[in-house]
Amino acid sequence: MGRILLIRRLVLKDMRRHPAEAAMFLLAITAATATLALGLAMNGATNNLYRQTRAATAGPDVVAMSAESGQAALTTLAPLKHAPGVVGHSGPYPLLYTMLKAGGSTVRAVVKGADTAPGPIDQPRVTTGSWVRLGGIVVERGFATALGVRVGDRVTVADRSFPVVGIAVTSATMVYPWAEMGGQGDGTDDYSGLVWLTQSNAQALSGPQRPMFYALNLKLADPAATQAFVDSYRTSTIPVNFFTWQFIAVQDAVLLNDTQPVLVIGSWLLGFLAVVGVATLVAGRAAKQTHRVGLLKAVGATPGQIAAVLLTEYVALALLADGLGLIAAWLGAPALVDPSAGLLSTSTALTRGTVISVTCLALAMAAFTTLGPAVRAARTATVHALADAARRPQQRTGLTALSARLPTPLLLGLRLTARRPFRAILHAGGIAATVTAITALLTYYAQPQQGYDLGSSTLSNLRADQGRHVLLAVTVALVALAAVNIIVITWTTAQEARRSLAIARTLGATPGQVSAGLSLAQLLPALPGAITGVPVGIGLYWTFSVGTMAKPSTWWMLADVLGTLLAVAALTAVPARIAARRPVAQILSAETP
Amino acid sequence: MNDIGNTAVLRACGVSKEHGQGQSLVRAVDELDLAVPTGEMLAVMGPSGCGKSTLLHLLGGLERPTGGEVWLAGQRIDTMSERALARLRRRSIGFVFQAFHLMEELSAAENVELPALLAGCSARTAKRRAHELLERVGLADRARHLPPELSGGQRQRVAIARALVNEPLVILADEPSGNLDTAATLEVLRLFEELRSAGQTLLIVTHDERVAATADRLISMRDGTFVDDTRLSDSATMRLGDLIGLED
């Protein structure tokens, strides 16, 4: 118990002593885990919501829609009520394809005639207001959200005005904007929304210009065998289109096609940036940690106890970040998995696979950034550890000779970069990850923005809008994390090289030259990183884009690279300036060679 | 020598420590023999770089010798595994360093509790022992203070309390007064005097002749070897009262 108390005490006291570092570690890993959890939560999330909605609304197993209108349609659909495998039905319900005016928009709409007391199959769930009654209209929730229509508003359908008496959700139709369900396997280009009227009101709107079609809801003995049922009619010539509940579920998930890759790829980029930042933080603390290890060894801590002390803190923080990320994803997922608001999204459970994957990511990031320094510290001889023997920088004689011919700031910058080449590579990778996201975002904005054309009015494209919002959010998170990383890397570099830089100042380097050298040490790896990020960003966008892709202008890309480099220069300026202005005597007297 | 060797709690036989190779080979410690009997206070003096700190590290198992043997309480320690050495340090050796080497994030009491907790003591026992020791070194009222809030002398007294918490066989002190002013040095020497009276074995590496003068025995080192080994008579061993000159 005593040893556990000791480890707990050392971990907590260390966190309390370095709250900013602990907070950054936590924030960086939480951002990555939350994004990955959200990305993974998209897998099958819509399907789950559709299943929940289907259960809550007694959704049909198959919807049969007549391709003919009028009495012929009723005649065609009638035998299906008693077809083999069918155990229940509701309808046929009349369907009208017409225009709806609401709030200044004129859009295509599907008017469905409904019973005032819904039958046993397809019982739309009223989320606001009440169910359909004579003279009143109920608007499907996704459609109402897109139009900005609320209960009490008036809408005009086929030139007749109706008060909106309710907003409802159904699983018998695809979510907005695919209410038309023009045909199995296609028909999604005809965007429209769904409204319900009483059957008599619906019939009153029909006429030669607006023929009446019909939809029949079927319940099968085996809901899983819908495809076999549909296939049994595939060769027949009856003019009916069948929609299985599985097909509707798949179609509803199309809205997330842009969101999921952005989140999953974003999580890997955020994870990489988290690793860059945390690895730098940990390396910056290596000297102090090594001293701590020496102290613990001197008072009798075994290598195992030392490893436990060093790793527990980061593992605990990683697990905390994992938990926070999962909670954030659990809370945020419902808002993302149902962009149309056309499904009942009471909860979005994270699967065991998601939890395991996200936890593995968090632990891998902690291990990748801390295991090496921890093992190195644990292996350092006690006497050296007590003497604060920091890890020696790498010597590059060729580079040193080359840099001797350069102006002082460039000389210092090049030598500082060469001291920690692996960190320079990580830094370049971090910049590349950030520029990749910025480039993808710019490429997105370079594409022609196409809303949903619902006839006379065009409404916003839910799928593209959500994709853009998520891409923007991920890019902002990446830029923020990259900015913090740049400051941390500059400050850590300045701290590690303070003695060398102080000596350079005794030899005649000015604080300005030292400051510029520190900034250049960050700009040198940032340049190839930024240049690499541009084609990677375009390539990634191209990989996940559908159809032809418009290339962003060269000027935009140039501004992307130059803007990034300017931002790096600006972010490094302050820590570099502070570090360069510390009194030389103070640094040299505090350091033991 | 054999009698002493038999009763010695700490023994080194032909112990050497070399650094570097070929032309750059340095013998920090060169085939030294040493026996420290139980209850003895031994001072090792010599100029900087003569190898006295290295000798202390070898005797305490902080470094491994390149030749010879080191024995503590009848156990050969230079061949022990890292894990076994750690356990030995924890139970049988207390270190006092010039730079104190306290954990700055832990309070004085928590620093003292540290070796006890590592040794598997219960939290309650560790707390009790730390309290007793801090009282013994006159810092009971500073138990909750962090090291940066303490003076140099107070920090060194905390370090001594920490060294004593597991009742070690021997205390090894490396320049314990090196970072202290005269008054703080006196405080520390008062503690060593108490420990000596209580029969604690002490080996002190020091530059300070007045500190060395309080020992039972004084060894002088130069270039990795002993050049003098003097047993100080009672009259030659300065008592604390004689050290009042330190306050000048």
Side-chain angles (χ1 to χ4, degrees):
Chain A
M1 277 306 285
R3 287 180 189 134
I4 293 169
L5 170 82
L6 179 64
I7 289 171
R8 191 172 138 259
R9 178 183 287 172
L10 288 171
V11 166
L12 290 177
K13 297 266 178 172
D14 193 55
M15 281 188 208
R16 209 173 293 165
R17 197 169 156 76
H18 304 99
E21 289 168 18
M24 191 196 152
F25 187 99
L26 199 64
L27 193 71
I29 297 187
T30 301
T33 53
T35 315
L36 179 65
L38 271 174
L40 296 178
M42 299 292 113
N43 271 336
T46 310
N47 195 291
N48 287 338
L49 289 188
Y50 179 78
R51 284 169 187 267
Q52 288 173 26
T53 309
R54 191 170 117 78
T57 60
D61 296 331
V62 175
V63 179
M65 294 176 72
S66 66
E68 300 168 309
S69 59
Q71 189 55 46
L74 292 171
T75 309
T76 305
L77 292 172
L80 293 173
K81 296 177 192 172
H82 308 291
V86 174
V87 293
H89 72 275
S90 66
Y93 295 107
L95 290 174
L96 281 168
Y97 301 96
T98 184
M99 300 303 284
L100 177 146
K101 287 182 191 170
S105 299
T106 304
V107 295
R108 269 195 295 271
V110 178
V111 179
K112 194 169 187 179
D115 299 322
T116 48
I121 301 165
D122 183 23
Q123 300 170 344
R125 171 70 65 90
V126 176
T127 55
T128 316
S130 58
W131 183 232
V132 69
R133 60 174 182 266
L134 201 62
I137 194 167
V138 172
V139 185
E140 189 270 330
R141 189 167 68 176
F143 194 32
T145 307
L147 289 169
V149 164
R150 286 182 289 190
V151 172
D153 291 350
R154 293 195 78 86
V155 298
T156 304
V157 181
D159 300 327
R160 268 196 63 187
S161 178
F162 292 92
V164 177
V165 296
I167 309 286
V169 165
T170 178
S171 60
T173 315
M174 293 169 196
V175 293
Y176 167 80
W178 297 303
E180 204 159 299
M181 301 213 297
Q184 191 162 356
D186 196 8
T188 52
D189 288 340
D190 297 328
Y191 300 121
S192 59
L194 175 68
V195 292
W196 289 272
L197 288 172
T198 60
Q199 293 207 38
S200 58
N201 280 156
Q203 279 161 355
L205 297 178
S206 69
Q209 300 299 317
R210 281 187 292 273
M212 189 79 82
F213 294 81
Y214 288 91
L216 176 67
N217 299 318
L218 299 174
K219 197 80 186 165
L220 303 187
D222 180 6
T226 51
Q227 198 54 47
F229 176 81
V230 172
D231 288 345
S232 67
Y233 287 93
R234 197 171 290 283
T235 53
S236 73
T237 53
I238 62 163
V240 173
N241 291 319
F242 291 100
F243 296 90
T244 65
W245 67 267
Q246 294 96 332
F247 176 79
I248 295 172
V250 169
Q251 181 61 40
D252 286 358
V254 168
L255 282 178
L256 298 181
N257 280 5
D258 290 352
T259 307
Q260 192 178 24
V262 171
L263 284 170
V264 172
I265 293 169
S267 76
W268 293 115
L269 295 178
L270 279 167
F272 181 72
L273 276 184
V275 163
V276 174
V278 173
T280 309
L281 270 182
V282 172
R285 288 185 61 191
K288 277 184 190 170
Q289 283 289 33
T290 305
H291 181 256
R292 232 169 146 228
V293 166
L295 204 152
L296 286 168
K297 279 187 171 181
V299 296
T302 62
Q305 288 170 331
I306 287 167
V309 168
L310 293 181
L311 293 176
T312 301
E313 177 174 346
Y314 295 110
V315 170
L317 281 173
L319 288 174
L320 181 60
D322 171 43
L324 290 174
L326 287 169
I327 291 170
W330 180 66
L331 293 173
L336 286 179
V337 296
D338 184 21
S340 75
L343 298 171
L344 293 173
S345 49
T346 48
S347 67
T348 307
L350 298 174
T351 63
R352 187 183 295 177
T354 300
V355 173
I356 290 171
S357 302
V358 172
T359 306
C360 286
L361 174 75
L363 290 175
M365 283 196 284
F368 186 78
T369 49
T370 60
L371 202 57
V375 170
R376 259 198 305 277
R379 280 186 178 170
T380 306
T382 313
V383 175
H384 288 134
L386 284 171
D388 283 349
R391 200 167 143 234
R392 291 182 63 187
Q394 293 192 15
Q395 299 295 324
R396 309 264 167 181
T397 45
L399 200 64
T400 304
L402 174 75
S403 61
R405 299 167 192 277
L406 300 171
T408 307
L410 202 53
L411 176 148
L412 292 173
L414 203 58
R415 289 186 180 179
L416 285 170
T417 307
R419 281 167 70 98
R420 301 275 188 236
F422 186 61
R423 183 180 301 163
I425 292 168
L426 280 180
H427 178 41
I431 296 294
T434 313
V435 173
T436 295
I438 296 171
T439 306
L441 188 67
L442 291 174
T443 310
Y444 182 93
Y445 279 106
Q447 309 308 308
Q449 304 297 309
Q450 290 179 333
Y452 292 141
D453 179 4
L454 287 101
S456 302
S457 301
T458 299
L459 298 183
S460 58
N461 186 317
L462 294 177
R463 173 178 164 177
D465 280 4
Q466 172 146 309
R468 187 178 69 245
H469 291 148
V470 171
L471 181 57
L472 186 63
V474 168
T475 307
V476 167
L478 280 164
V479 169
L481 207 50
V484 175
N485 281 358
I486 290 163
I487 294 168
V488 167
I489 291 171
T490 310
W491 185 248
T492 304
T493 306
Q495 287 301 104
E496 286 176 348
R498 60 189 183 277
R499 184 179 162 76
S500 306
L501 293 174
I503 290 170
R505 282 172 63 193
T506 64
L507 299 175
T510 64
Q513 286 172 326
V514 169
S515 174
L518 279 165
S519 287
L520 279 168
Q522 313 316 316
L523 280 167
L524 289 173
L527 178 65
I531 292 171
T532 309
V534 171
V536 175
I538 295 174
L540 268 179
Y541 190 93
W542 176 77
T543 306
F544 293 98
S545 66
V546 180
T548 53
M549 186 191 92
K551 282 184 190 161
S553 80
T554 310
W555 288 110
W556 280 26
M557 294 301 98
L558 202 60
D560 184 8
V561 173
L562 291 177
T564 303
L565 293 177
L566 276 174
V568 171
L571 287 165
T572 55
V574 175
R577 199 176 156 82
I578 293 170
R581 290 187 185 270
R582 286 179 60 195
V584 172
Q586 191 188 341
I587 297 169
L588 292 178
S589 62
E591 300 287 322
T592 309
Chain B
M1 184 71 192
N2 276 344
D3 287 346
I4 292 172
N6 290 339
T7 59
V9 63
L10 187 58
R11 212 152 48 88
C13 307
V15 73
S16 301
K17 182 68 182 178
E18 295 171 354
H19 298 295
Q21 290 177 7
Q23 296 269 330
S24 59
L25 180 78
V26 176
R27 285 180 199 279
V29 171
D30 195 3
E31 294 186 17
L32 293 181
D33 293 314
L34 175 69
V36 184
T38 305
E40 184 176 75
M41 182 172 170
L42 169 68
V44 179
M45 285 193 75
S48 292
C50 72
K52 55 188 189 301
S53 288
T54 304
L55 174 66
L56 184 125
H57 295 154
L58 294 172
L59 295 174
L62 292 181
E63 280 190 274
R64 290 179 192 276
T66 44
E69 299 169 6
V70 180
W71 294 75
L72 178 69
Q75 270 188 298
R76 188 171 171 183
I77 68 168
D78 56 283
T79 52
M80 281 181 174
S81 68
E82 268 304 312
R83 195 182 169 84
L85 266 178
R87 286 186 176 146
L88 178 95
R89 280 198 295 269
R90 180 196 295 170
R91 293 275 180 202
S92 308
I93 303 170
F95 281 100
V96 178
F97 297 99
Q98 178 180 357
F100 322 128
H101 290 321
L102 299 176
M103 294 202 111
E104 298 210 336
E105 68 268 34
L106 300 184
S107 68
E110 287 167 342
N111 264 290
V112 179
E113 287 173 25
L114 186 65
L117 293 171
L118 280 171
C121 282
S122 69
R124 183 178 292 181
T125 308
K127 197 170 180 175
R128 181 178 48 76
R129 279 196 207 167
H131 180 73
E132 287 167 4
L133 282 164
L134 283 174
E135 207 162 62
R136 189 169 162 191
V137 301
L139 289 173
D141 58 334
R142 295 280 189 274
R144 287 168 176 263
H145 285 60
L146 294 172
E149 297 164 355
L150 301 173
S151 69
Q154 288 171 332
R155 279 189 243 184
Q156 196 60 294
R157 281 189 279 158
V158 174
I160 292 170
R162 184 182 65 186
L164 289 168
V165 75
N166 285 336
E167 299 171 351
L169 293 172
V170 59
I171 287 189
L172 303 175
D174 190 1
E175 301 282 6
S177 61
N179 274 355
L180 304 181
D181 61 17
T182 305
T185 300
L186 193 60
E187 288 172 6
V188 169
L189 286 179
R190 186 180 288 125
L191 270 174
F192 283 156
E193 174 71 20
E194 278 179 34
L195 294 174
R196 179 174 180 258
S197 303
Q200 175 72 55
T201 308
L202 280 152
L203 193 156
I204 303 171
V205 163
T206 182
H207 267 110
D208 193 328
E209 287 180 3
R210 289 171 297 181
V211 174
T214 62
D216 298 314
R217 184 177 156 206
L218 174 62
I219 290 178
S220 297
M221 266 186 92
R222 192 176 296 272
D223 298 331
T225 57
F226 292 156
V227 291
D228 191 27
D229 187 345
T230 308
R231 180 154 295 282
L232 303 174
S233 63
D234 278 351
S235 58
T237 304
M238 292 178 77
R239 294 297 166 217
L240 201 56
D242 304 325
L243 291 167
I244 202 75
L246 287 167
E247 291 173 298
D248 292 342

